[in-house]
Amino acid sequence: MSAFAGIVSFDGPPFDRRTEEHLSRAINARHSGRAVGNRVEGALFAQRAAAGPGEPRPLAGGNGRTLFAALARLDNREELGTALGLTLPELARTQDDQLILGMLERWGDAGVARCLGAFAFALWEAETRRLTLGRDCLGNRALFYHCGEGVVRFATTLGALLALPGVPREINEITLAHFIAINNREPRHTFYRGIERVPSRNLATIDRAGVHHRAYWAPNLAAPPPYRRDEDYVGRARELLDLAVAAAIRDTPHVAVSASGGLDSSAIAATAVRLGGSESITCFSLVAPAGTRIDVGRFRYLDERDKLEALARMYPGLAMRYIAPERNHPLAEDDTRAFVLSSLPNSGAGAGGAGAHLSDAISGAGHRTLLIGNAGNFGLTWWGSFSLVELLRSGQWNAFQHELRAVARESDRNLARTFAGDVLMLTAPVWLRDLIYRLRGRDPHSPAHYSALNPAFIAESGLLPQWREQGFDPWFGLGDNNPVRFRARYLFDHNQHARDMRGMAGETIGIDVVDPHADRRLLEFVLSVPEPLYRRDGVPRSFARRVMADRLPREIVDERRRGTNTPAWFRLLDARRQDIARDIERLEASPLASRLIDVPRLKHLMTRWPKDEQTAEQHRDEYRFALARGVHAGRFIRWVEGGNE
């Protein structure tokens, strides 16, 4: 992949040769390639490109008065070319970054909103002394910036930005506290003080007056239902899923899919096969190591193999690769190596580097692009959690009573508990929800069940009012009784940190991560599907099951249970027990770590260490999340305090 970085000065002298060298070294620090630079009055941009005339580079225009750089993979090139009046031969010669620039110059924000795919860009206009930074609607490419003393520095990776002189390397303790508490609602602030991100579907305009953020696009949450018949919704969803997968595998003859036995990723693999045109399609799946014996309960299953084998029987040309991590990955054993790659802590710290084992297998097989299905959970394969609420609101009393009984049977609860959980908790005001939590023996404001954030830091930093304002629920209730608004926030705005990690994956692990379920055309449609279609006769994901019945085996379509994510997590954590104990002791030597992290609680968890994997499953939240995430955050603090070496 490419990368770009830049420096703009509103009133300073021209950039010298030394500044250009700093910029080139920053984007080439961990990669080989040519750093192609360009400058106009007040701005210096550099972009890394492999040899070849078709590679992107900073574009100067406006008679030497503008400078533009972009990382882009557009999914609607033909549509944009038509809008710009390009002939087919002209479109073939036009790169994606040039298309974005053309749309921006002609229609401004509305032009950017018409661009679908993955992109981040920077535009400097010397005449107005204005810098515009932009990011696609899903945040598929990352973009960070730092403002200081009339100078703005920006880059598509944190590592490149931190390598530039004048950019601080100090921890933003509030943002890190949100991370430890698993509060993923922070839109702009990063883990570094003074460094901000451009959030997904946003433009940041920076000039002498300061920084102005604005959303250039928003989904139409009040769109009327497009169809009357269920069959029409199903047919349109199939068309758009085909379109999304076709766009994702364009120019990718050897397709790699991160697959599980669930609906999301298996549908991507099946659709890719049905579309044809690929020389090979391989599913890479994390599975339980041999000999794993854990009772995960009636609502989960332990191993993905039987479902993926059923998929392979349905599509004999589909290759299967199973990865069963028996040991911790080196990136999990030494977090410093992971920090060097991304300059960020990892949300999956308690999984023993399972994702790194997966990426090693994928890159080892020669793949540079990986298809995932993460957005499906709030998109096409949504569970229909608000179906009872919507039936009640619309006055469909008979349907509500039928569905209430069906949901109770499916979830093995009585009618009263089903009504409380699926209606009352979703519609209750905050005070009533908090009361229900207290009646259940939960502190509604404490994140301690899932987190090792120090209660004293929560109090002294005034985090509780922030969390209430953000709508953060430490018990992860849905927190919004409007299903379309709730899902749209998760799809387009939630967890910018995870978007940053995915957006930098091409740079950090050498694999570009693409999610067909995050195709905006598909997402806009599935947000218009009536909520009761998503859960019918008590069966969650009913809509997706109907949509995918034409391409998936019954073993997958009919499965009501959830897969067990990284079933060997405790085996891998247990192998690091002594290292974890030493790390907890070291946390006390760092004033910031001991302020942020509840070290006594971590020590207490060490004294109650589960005796085996089955026991650990009953305490998953405490060990996989609170302990592992707390220790990982402490390591990140110590790494930054040590100078990021």
Side-chain angles (χ1 to χ4, degrees):
M1 279 192 59
S2 180
F4 70 75
I7 306 175
V8 303
S9 177
F10 297 119
D11 300 299
F15 297 109
D16 57 20
R17 177 79 176 176
R18 186 177 180 184
T19 305
E20 186 171 350
E21 290 173 353
H22 277 308
L23 199 58
S24 296
R25 283 200 299 269
I27 62 173
N28 277 334
R30 299 185 183 94
H31 295 272
S32 60
R34 295 183 304 117
V36 181
N38 210 338
R39 67 175 71 201
V40 300
E41 179 188 339
L44 172 64
F45 288 12
Q47 188 156 2
R48 190 181 66 251
E55 292 295 335
R57 63 193 64 216
L59 305 171
N63 295 319
R65 305 292 286 169
T66 65
L67 195 57
F68 182 82
L71 298 183
R73 191 205 74 242
L74 294 176
D75 294 336
N76 61 333
R77 283 178 50 86
E78 293 76 12
E79 175 189 333
L80 300 178
T82 299
L84 293 169
L86 301 179
T87 65
L88 288 178
E90 288 173 332
L91 179 61
R93 295 191 298 269
T94 304
Q95 296 182 52
D96 286 353
D97 57 344
Q98 295 171 307
L99 287 174
I100 293 176
L101 178 58
M103 297 297 292
L104 179 61
E105 290 177 332
R106 186 167 299 187
W107 290 290
D109 292 14
V112 179
R114 295 172 68 174
C115 298
L116 305 181
F119 59 82
F121 67 80
L123 171 67
W124 169 250
E125 299 167 280
E127 187 170 341
T128 57
R129 315 300 284 186
R130 181 175 61 196
L131 174 68
T132 300
L133 305 175
R135 193 171 179 187
D136 68 77
C137 285
L138 278 299
N140 292 305
R141 294 289 181 266
L143 188 54
F144 309 94
Y145 66 90
H146 172 263
C147 301
E149 299 180 357
V151 177
V152 181
R153 301 166 178 86
F154 59 89
T156 50
T157 68
L158 271 173
L161 186 58
L162 288 166
L164 294 176
V167 177
R169 295 167 173 78
E170 300 173 0
I171 286 178
N172 183 330
E173 57 189 36
I174 298 298
T175 307
L176 187 56
H178 291 325
F179 171 83
I180 298 170
I182 321 182
N183 173 17
N184 297 317
R185 290 172 176 253
E186 171 56 50
R188 289 170 49 182
H189 297 296
T190 70
F191 297 105
Y192 296 92
R193 194 174 301 159
I195 296 178
E196 296 196 357
R197 69 170 61 84
V198 180
S200 50
R201 71 186 185 96
N202 265 245
L203 298 176
T205 300
I206 309 173
D207 55 24
R208 292 183 181 93
V211 183
H212 173 64
H213 278 259
R214 64 190 184 276
Y216 60 82
W217 174 87
N220 182 3
L221 304 185
Y227 303 113
R228 298 182 63 182
R229 300 190 315 147
D230 293 0
E231 293 78 7
D232 294 330
Y233 283 103
V234 171
R236 183 57 176 158
R238 288 172 175 171
E239 292 173 2
L240 290 171
L241 180 59
D242 289 346
L243 181 68
V245 174
I249 63 177
R250 184 191 70 206
D251 303 323
T252 308
H254 301 284
V255 176
V257 183
S258 176
S260 72
L263 293 166
D264 305 286
S265 55
S266 58
I268 293 171
T271 303
V273 176
R274 288 158 56 93
L275 290 172
S278 301
E279 295 180 26
S280 67
I281 302 172
T282 306
C283 291
F284 293 83
S285 180
L286 285 167
V287 297
T292 302
R293 298 287 184 270
I294 307 172
D295 180 3
V296 295
R298 59 169 294 194
F299 295 110
R300 290 194 294 161
Y301 60 87
L302 183 65
D303 206 313
E304 313 281 354
R305 286 184 179 88
D306 59 338
K307 294 171 181 56
L308 290 171
E309 289 301 323
L311 185 66
R313 288 193 296 272
M314 191 170 188
Y315 300 102
L318 194 61
M320 293 292 169
R321 285 279 306 276
Y322 299 116
I323 297 94
E326 302 263 3
R327 58 178 178 79
N328 285 284
H329 192 276
L331 291 179
E333 292 178 341
D334 181 6
D335 288 344
T336 298
R337 298 174 62 175
F339 299 148
V340 167
L341 291 175
S342 67
S343 303
L344 290 172
N346 182 2
S347 301
H357 282 293
L358 182 68
S359 61
D360 282 354
I362 292 164
S363 59
H367 296 284
R368 294 296 173 263
T369 300
L370 175 66
L371 304 189
I372 63 171
N374 292 11
N377 286 330
F378 293 93
L380 177 58
T381 65
W382 170 239
W383 291 74
S385 303
F386 296 88
S387 63
L388 290 175
V389 172
E390 291 301 296
L391 289 172
L392 197 59
R393 280 177 176 157
S394 61
Q396 301 180 58
W397 305 109
N398 291 335
F400 171 79
Q401 294 176 53
H402 166 81
E403 197 64 29
L404 179 66
R405 289 191 293 268
V407 172
R409 286 194 304 271
E410 185 73 21
S411 58
D412 197 22
R413 296 174 293 174
N414 61 36
L415 291 177
R417 289 189 62 193
T418 302
F419 183 84
D422 286 46
V423 178
L424 189 58
M425 284 297 289
L426 298 184
T427 57
V430 173
W431 68 266
L432 181 55
R433 185 198 66 187
D434 289 354
L435 176 61
I436 294 172
Y437 279 147
R438 293 190 188 281
L439 291 174
R440 292 177 176 178
R442 300 176 178 179
D443 181 343
H445 307 302
S446 172
H449 184 74
Y450 296 95
S451 165
L453 185 60
N454 192 339
F457 184 85
I458 295 174
E460 73 183 50
S461 302
L463 286 179
L464 289 182
Q466 290 187 44
W467 289 346
R468 283 195 291 269
E469 183 179 348
Q470 292 176 333
F472 170 57
D473 178 3
W475 292 92
F476 305 105
L478 297 184
D480 192 331
N481 59 27
N482 182 310
V484 179
R485 184 174 59 216
F486 170 79
R487 293 168 60 205
R489 180 174 60 80
Y490 265 82
L491 289 167
F492 298 111
D493 302 313
H494 188 70
N495 202 346
Q496 294 291 330
H497 169 61
R499 297 172 200 269
D500 293 343
M501 295 290 284
R502 185 176 67 245
M504 294 190 295
E507 285 287 289
T508 57
I509 62 174
I511 300 173
D512 187 21
V513 178
V514 181
D515 188 348
H517 282 284
D519 186 289
R520 203 179 86 193
R521 295 162 292 192
L522 176 61
L523 293 180
E524 288 183 89
F525 170 73
V526 298
L527 287 174
S528 74
V529 175
E531 181 75 2
L533 284 185
Y534 284 103
R535 182 168 63 180
R536 179 163 288 178
D537 295 326
V539 179
R541 295 181 158 186
S542 290
F543 182 64
R545 297 178 199 279
R546 294 180 65 183
V547 170
M548 297 170 186
D550 71 333
R551 64 196 65 194
L552 291 180
R554 302 310 307 180
E555 289 89 339
I556 295 176
V557 172
D558 293 339
E559 179 60 76
R560 313 279 181 85
R561 299 170 299 170
R562 300 188 190 207
T564 303
N565 185 19
T566 320
W569 69 271
F570 180 71
R571 185 182 307 187
L572 301 176
L573 192 71
D574 190 51
R576 295 168 48 217
R577 182 177 178 180
Q578 297 305 317
D579 290 337
I580 291 171
R582 285 191 290 268
D583 276 317
I584 293 173
E585 295 295 333
R586 294 187 186 113
L587 295 183
E588 294 181 310
S590 165
L592 178 56
S594 56
R595 280 182 63 224
L596 275 172
I597 299 167
D598 189 349
V599 177
R601 181 170 178 225
L602 296 184
K603 290 183 175 181
H604 179 63
L605 288 174
M606 295 299 295
T607 65
R608 296 172 48 234
W609 196 263
K611 63 180 181 180
D612 53 35
E613 288 181 291
Q614 187 62 59
T615 306
E617 278 298 309
Q618 302 167 23
H619 302 279
R620 169 188 286 255
D621 297 338
E622 294 177 286
Y623 286 89
R624 182 168 179 185
F625 297 111
L627 183 137
R629 199 181 187 95
V631 170
H632 182 72
R635 288 173 173 169
F636 177 71
I637 292 170
R638 290 173 47 231
W639 177 73
V640 175
E641 290 175 336
N644 302 165
E645 295 297 334

